[in-house]
Amino acid sequence: MQAPDPLNPRDPTGDPVDGVAVAVERHGKAVVVQVSGELDLLTTPRLDDAASQALREQPSLLVLDLTGVTFLGSAGMASLVAVRQAAGDDLPIRLAAADPVVVRAMEVVGLDEEFPLYPTCEDALAG
């Protein structure tokens, strides 16, 4: 039996609880935090936990892969800003976002000026 993943609790059907799934993966010296589902007040703690885990790994690059995000609320945007602040000025952070709803929300509040945006995780890793 596989141990439960605290970042991705699942209901008995195997679906993510609360509509979000988060994973942390190392790609060489870079770390990718992959998020899918909805980022809102209830789900952003999972992003916060995963980002903290990623930062503890002291990567040379942090990619927040939001290509699977279908909704980005104000709490999700605040979480992105908190990750930027926790990372400091020396760690580059890139965002991968494809859903027009997510990209537009980031543009409206100016987050596209704080984070370089890429259409795919692979593009974000390549820079």
Side-chain angles (χ1 to χ4, degrees):
M1 180 174 183
Q2 186 177 3
D5 181 350
L7 294 177
N8 295 307
R10 303 211 174 251
D11 70 16
T13 67
D15 293 331
V17 174
D18 296 332
V20 73
V22 181
V24 178
E25 302 173 347
R26 186 165 273 288
H27 292 259
K29 293 181 180 182
V31 173
V32 174
V33 175
Q34 184 180 40
V35 184
S36 59
E38 299 180 356
L39 275 175
D40 57 25
L41 186 61
L42 295 175
T43 61
T44 54
R46 289 216 197 98
L47 171 58
D48 297 340
D49 292 345
S52 293
Q53 175 186 335
L55 292 174
R56 283 192 298 274
E57 294 185 28
Q58 299 179 331
S60 61
L61 168 67
L62 178 61
V63 174
L64 302 175
D65 182 358
L66 308 180
T67 56
V69 171
T70 57
F71 174 79
L72 180 62
S74 59
M77 289 185 255
S79 183
L80 296 175
V81 171
V83 170
R84 169 75 273 157
Q85 292 171 339
D89 294 332
D90 294 332
L91 176 63
I93 298 178
R94 299 177 187 155
L95 298 183
D99 190 310
V101 172
V102 172
V103 172
R104 182 70 182 134
M106 293 178 63
E107 290 171 345
V108 166
V109 298
L111 285 180
D112 60 321
E113 296 179 20
E114 292 294 319
F115 298 97
L117 289 176
Y118 297 85
T120 68
C121 183
E122 293 76 21
D123 290 338
L125 283 166

